Amino acid sequence: MFSRDKWNEILESLTSNVFRTVLTAFGVFWGIFILVILLAAGTGLENGIKRGFAGIATNSMFMWSQTASKPYDGLPKGRRYNFDLSDVEALKANVNGLEYVSPRNQLGGFGGANNVTKGLKTGAFDVYGDYPDVINQEPMDIVEGRFLNMNDINVNRKVAVIGEGVVDALYDKDEEALGSYIKINGVNFMVIGVYKKKSGMGRDIEEAQKQIYVPFTSFSQAFNYGDRVSWMAVTADDNHSITQLKSQVFDIIKKRHRIHPEDDRAIGNFDLYEQFKKIQGLFLALNLVAYFVGILVLLSGVIGISNIMLIVVKERTKEIGIRRALGASPWNIRGQVLLESVFLTIISGMAGIVFATSILAIVNFFLSNMEDNSEVMFVNPSVNLFVVVVAMTILIISGLLAGFIPAQNAVKVKPVDALRTE
Amino acid sequence: MIEIKDLHKSYKVGKNSLHVLKGINFSVKEGELVSIMGSSGSGKSTLLNILGILDEADQGTYHLDGVPIKNLNEKIAANYRNKFLGFIFQSFNLINYKSAIDNVALPLIYQGMGRKDRMERSMAYLEKVGLADWAKHKPNELSGGQKQRVAIARALASDPKVLLADELTGALDTKTSYEIMDLIQGINDEGKTILVVTHEEDIAHMTKRIVNLKDGIIIDDSMNEQVKAIQNV
Ligand SMILES: Nc1ncnc2c1ncn2[C@@H]1O[C@H](COP(=O)(O)OP(=O)(O)O)[C@@H](O)[C@H]1O
Ligand SMILES: [Mg+2]
């Protein structure tokens, strides 16, 4: 089927009208180009958004206490309650499949008043009392010093890890942050580390640099929180999804705080995993749209090829008549038309793929050469081998489809009539 | 070699039907050189096309080398054309984007012959018609006589049982016509069965038997004292 003679025949007939061949090829070229670019743009956007989640334990949820919305066990509705440290232990002990349960207390935030001072400078920052595990759930780069450790927790060290945004606000240009003291709500903490976050966790990346982490225990002590826990970040391990484990977690909390088993409003929560899934669903939809649009454009290219092949077949009616007089079987004739159309489709499609990937390479080159590309939504827009294989399959099938009717036309005419045409 | 009985053929022209062949009985033995004579529109080409399995008769029987030719599907018809028949046309019918040798090789491609054999064989036939030096030339670089020689080489390439030529000198001047007929006579002398359709007396007289067709029937079928074309060149 792929003998040298066949190729020669195809090349001969395609090069016999180069201009027309090129114009015809352009339709498919364009279609596959758009398909690849759209898919790559989808991937780029997806990579961009995923970078927003980079390193974050997406299999996590955050929960906080609200007020009981149903009376239960002799307690009235509207009752306030708080999580406490024993809840953390209870969850760790009783729920199978949890990787981290990190309690957290928090000061400031959401446009609160100035709460941190250093010398004459002041600022309003989120201050978190955290366990060291939090760095696994909310990854950050420690650019100076170190992060909190269990020792800090155990001996209630008044130490703080601050973001680069905090450094910018509170320190002079060449001033050394490590080892200095900042006052949080009037209590002195020593700076032991500076972090930089790559992800805003769904919030402004700028804001994410303006946070202060102190040991959970010294936070509670310094600000009189006792055993209280304002919220918890709960992460499931790789074999479980937090969305599935959620109700178990809530049931334990409800039991421990005498909350009605059906009181769903007593515990507030934000399921990161669920959000993540939603975004993934969005990208699936985006990909479908890309395929849909790309294939439609490709289809118009295919119709173009089909059209031209019809004309070619018509023009070559006489030649086909001659070939049949010389002993070409219907499948010889059909095969040539089909092969020609598949060949044309694949060549123009490949050109489209090559052109599209070159453009992507250039875009990637500029993206990766940008000083600070953290604000760019696009990351590495690219197509994988799978997409290329899919595109090639689509091309071969479309080439066959494009050639089918013309091929049928080519053998429909009786040889004697074909020979008579001029 | 060719055996036809009571052959009828009509064409539909609008609502009417045009009865072109009205019962032809005719046979050709191996090695004959026969001309079918008749004025324009007498049905010569129609008959030749049926003999060439390019068209089908409405009625009657046709045996080619003992094989009944009836209701063949296109695949078998193509195979028979390839194996049994060689065509020579008035307008040469070469493929214009192929070189002379590639044109000659075409029937061999459909036989599935390998490239090397095919090229050797095509070259041998081009030599036979005196065009070895023109093998790489495209048809538009050849004169009419040369084109017809290529066509003859092509018709011979698959070593068919019968050569069918429709007005093969119709597009050529007299001198070239006689040169072509000389070639045809030579090929016949080597034993090939050849059927020539013509409306020209002088060409017909260069064959060994003249069949006269008029209004769809054979009015005369007689042996002829063959005039050697070479004498007129
Ligand atoms: N495909 C066709 N449809 C209708 N009429 C045809 C067709 N082919 C030939 N004819 C008619 O049949 C008659 C015989 O044609 P043809 O066999 O070509 O004659 P010749 O070759 O002897 O000149 C002519 O009148 C011609 O017009
Ligand atoms: Mg005729």
Side-chain angles (χ1 to χ4, degrees):
Chain A
M1 170 138 176
F2 291 103
S3 66
R4 186 171 148 194
D5 304 312
K6 278 262 167 59
W7 290 124
N8 280 345
E9 298 252 292
I10 288 171
L11 287 181
E12 268 171 354
S13 72
L14 287 180
T15 49
S16 66
N17 194 334
V18 176
F19 185 60
R20 184 170 69 194
T21 304
V22 169
L23 277 188
T24 309
F26 189 75
V28 165
F29 168 86
W30 193 233
I32 205 86
F33 175 80
I34 286 184
L35 177 65
V36 170
I37 290 287
L38 282 180
L39 287 177
T43 313
L45 209 57
E46 189 171 351
N47 288 342
I49 302 281
K50 277 193 179 154
R51 183 178 63 179
F53 281 93
I56 295 175
T58 44
N59 198 5
S60 298
M61 71 156 170
F62 305 93
M63 53 191 278
W64 55 91
S65 56
Q66 301 186 150
T67 51
S69 68
K70 285 183 176 154
Y72 183 64
D73 204 9
L75 295 167
K77 102 182 210 184
R79 172 180 63 97
R80 298 198 123 270
Y81 74 101
N82 285 302
F83 299 154
D84 55 46
L85 279 174
S86 59
D87 290 333
V88 176
E89 296 314 316
L91 290 181
K92 280 184 180 165
N94 295 320
V95 184
N96 188 15
L98 291 186
E99 180 133 30
Y100 307 113
V101 181
S102 305
R104 161 179 283 182
N105 283 320
Q106 182 178 355
L107 276 179
F110 302 115
N114 286 347
N115 53 3
V116 180
T117 59
K118 168 163 183 308
L120 294 175
K121 297 189 175 181
T122 63
F125 305 107
D126 290 350
V127 181
Y128 300 133
D130 262 321
Y131 274 80
D133 272 350
V134 76
I135 200 166
N136 297 316
Q137 291 163 298
E138 241 175 82
M140 54 190 104
D141 290 337
I142 301 300
V143 292
E144 266 186 279
R146 63 170 178 87
F147 194 65
L148 308 174
N149 61 28
M150 278 317 281
N151 250 336
D152 302 331
I153 297 284
N154 292 338
V155 302
N156 295 5
R157 272 192 199 124
K158 289 208 178 57
V159 292
V161 177
I162 62 179
E164 286 189 326
V166 179
V167 176
D168 289 345
L170 295 184
Y171 291 82
D172 292 331
K173 213 158 187 249
D174 298 315
E175 202 179 345
E176 176 63 44
L178 286 190
S180 68
Y181 284 86
I182 54 175
K183 263 197 169 76
I184 303 172
N185 275 5
V187 180
N188 265 323
F189 285 80
M190 187 175 80
V191 175
I192 55 161
V194 177
Y195 76 83
K196 178 187 168 98
K197 281 190 185 177
K198 285 213 185 92
S199 145
M201 289 276 277
R203 286 162 65 188
D204 193 340
I205 184 104
E206 204 84 344
E207 285 302 310
Q209 318 301 339
K210 294 186 179 167
Q211 294 161 341
I212 297 173
Y213 291 85
V214 303
F216 184 86
T217 47
S218 40
F219 183 103
S220 301
Q221 194 182 47
F223 308 118
N224 285 324
Y225 271 62
D227 255 3
R228 243 167 74 196
V229 171
S230 343
W231 49 308
M232 292 188 241
V234 186
T235 303
D237 65 26
D238 290 344
N239 302 321
H240 298 80
S241 103
I242 194 65
T243 311
Q244 285 164 352
L245 295 181
K246 214 153 73 167
S247 60
Q248 276 187 62
V249 171
F250 294 162
D251 287 347
I252 289 172
I253 297 289
K254 284 174 186 167
K255 208 173 275 163
R256 292 175 55 84
H257 292 276
R258 292 164 73 192
I259 295 166
H260 193 289
E262 274 151 34
D263 187 352
D264 290 331
R265 280 194 277 163
I267 304 169
N269 77 90
F270 177 80
D271 186 338
L272 194 60
Y273 190 64
E274 214 169 55
Q275 301 300 319
F276 189 65
K277 281 275 167 210
K278 270 187 201 156
I279 292 175
Q280 279 185 330
L282 181 74
F283 285 115
L284 188 70
L286 217 62
N287 264 347
L288 286 180
V289 170
Y291 272 109
F292 184 71
V293 173
I295 286 175
L296 278 191
V297 179
L298 191 61
L299 192 68
S300 66
V302 167
I303 290 172
I305 289 207
S306 195
N307 232 329
I308 292 293
M309 291 308 294
L310 276 178
I311 295 173
V312 167
V313 162
K314 184 135 193 99
E315 270 181 5
R316 297 218 309 243
T317 306
K318 173 115 183 187
E319 180 193 322
I320 290 167
I322 298 169
R323 286 171 182 272
R324 291 175 72 182
L326 298 177
S329 71
W331 271 111
N332 285 138
I333 303 290
R334 273 193 209 106
Q336 202 192 338
V337 176
L338 286 177
L339 220 55
E340 213 171 296
S341 120
V342 169
F343 180 76
L344 194 58
T345 314
I346 289 181
I347 288 293
S348 41
M350 297 250 264
I353 291 175
V354 168
F355 188 59
T357 41
S358 324
I359 295 236
L360 290 175
I362 293 170
V363 168
N364 276 336
F365 176 77
F366 280 113
L367 279 184
S368 60
N369 273 17
M370 268 163 69
E371 280 291 305
D372 178 22
N373 58 8
S374 56
E375 296 296 310
V376 182
M377 278 250 279
F378 264 30
V379 177
N380 188 26
S382 56
V383 284
N384 52 28
L385 195 65
F386 173 75
V387 170
V388 174
V389 169
V390 167
M392 286 313 289
T393 314
I394 292 176
L395 282 176
I396 293 174
I397 292 173
S398 11
L400 284 173
L401 283 179
F404 185 74
I405 295 173
Q408 214 45 41
N409 273 9
V411 292
K412 214 168 58 186
V413 189
K414 276 202 297 181
V416 63
D417 294 328
L419 278 168
R420 223 194 312 268
T421 51
E422 276 313 321
Chain B
M1 184 60 67
I2 286 176
E3 187 91 44
I4 55 176
K5 286 209 179 83
D6 194 32
L7 206 70
H8 286 262
K9 175 79 185 174
S10 321
Y11 290 114
K12 279 227 157 47
V13 184
K15 276 188 186 144
N16 305 320
S17 137
L18 179 66
H19 203 171
V20 179
L21 299 181
K22 303 170 180 164
I24 307 280
N25 292 287
F26 164 66
S27 62
V28 178
K29 284 195 272 301
E30 191 167 356
E32 278 197 282
L33 173 53
V34 185
S35 58
I36 299 171
M37 269 282 287
S39 56
S40 183
S42 56
K44 308 182 295 291
S45 296
T46 303
L47 176 58
L48 199 75
N49 287 337
I50 292 170
L51 295 179
I53 327 182
L54 295 170
D55 204 353
E56 257 199 309
D58 300 331
Q59 201 185 312
T61 60
Y62 170 24
H63 286 82
L64 176 58
D65 198 25
V67 181
I69 306 298
K70 184 92 187 163
N71 295 330
L72 303 180
N73 70 31
E74 245 310 296
K75 192 177 168 203
I76 294 173
N79 185 256
Y80 284 2
R81 288 196 285 267
N82 188 263
K83 273 200 315 211
F84 295 151
L85 302 162
F87 293 93
I88 305 165
F89 304 93
Q90 174 173 4
S91 52
F92 323 123
N93 283 349
L94 300 177
I95 292 176
N96 55 25
Y97 57 81
K98 284 181 177 291
S99 65
I101 191 162
D102 285 337
N103 264 286
V104 176
L106 215 48
L108 302 178
I109 288 187
Y110 297 128
Q111 274 183 4
M113 186 184 283
R115 185 178 171 82
K116 193 167 163 288
D117 290 349
R118 204 166 67 217
M119 285 303 148
E120 267 171 25
R121 189 146 166 190
S122 304
M123 200 58 195
Y125 279 104
L126 275 179
E127 253 164 53
K128 187 180 177 70
V129 299
L131 285 180
D133 294 342
W134 296 82
K136 292 285 167 216
H137 289 255
K138 298 263 167 76
N140 62 5
E141 297 157 356
L142 304 176
S143 70
Q146 286 174 321
K147 283 186 208 171
Q148 199 58 298
R149 283 169 190 272
V150 174
I152 291 170
R154 182 176 69 182
L156 289 171
S158 58
D159 193 22
K161 296 192 181 303
V162 182
L163 279 194
L164 301 173
D166 193 350
E167 309 274 11
L168 82 165
T169 60
L172 305 174
D173 61 59
T174 315
K175 181 168 175 288
T176 316
S177 296
Y178 292 166
E179 284 167 3
I180 292 294
M181 282 313 289
D182 180 48
L183 183 61
I184 292 290
Q185 286 174 341
I187 293 164
N188 174 247
D189 290 342
E190 287 168 17
K192 188 73 74 190
T193 314
I194 304 178
L195 232 81
V196 176
V197 158
T198 182
H199 66 276
E200 294 168 272
E201 288 279 349
D202 52 345
I203 298 297
H205 281 95
M206 291 172 184
T207 65
K208 294 174 176 166
R209 174 181 158 198
I210 302 177
V211 175
N212 233 309
L213 207 61
K214 195 178 181 209
D215 294 334
I217 49 169
I218 293 174
I219 52 167
D220 184 54
D221 183 346
S222 53
M223 289 307 176
N224 172 51
E225 186 64 38
Q226 190 183 30
V227 177
K228 282 289 175 190
I230 194 78
Q231 297 164 0
N232 296 297
V233 173

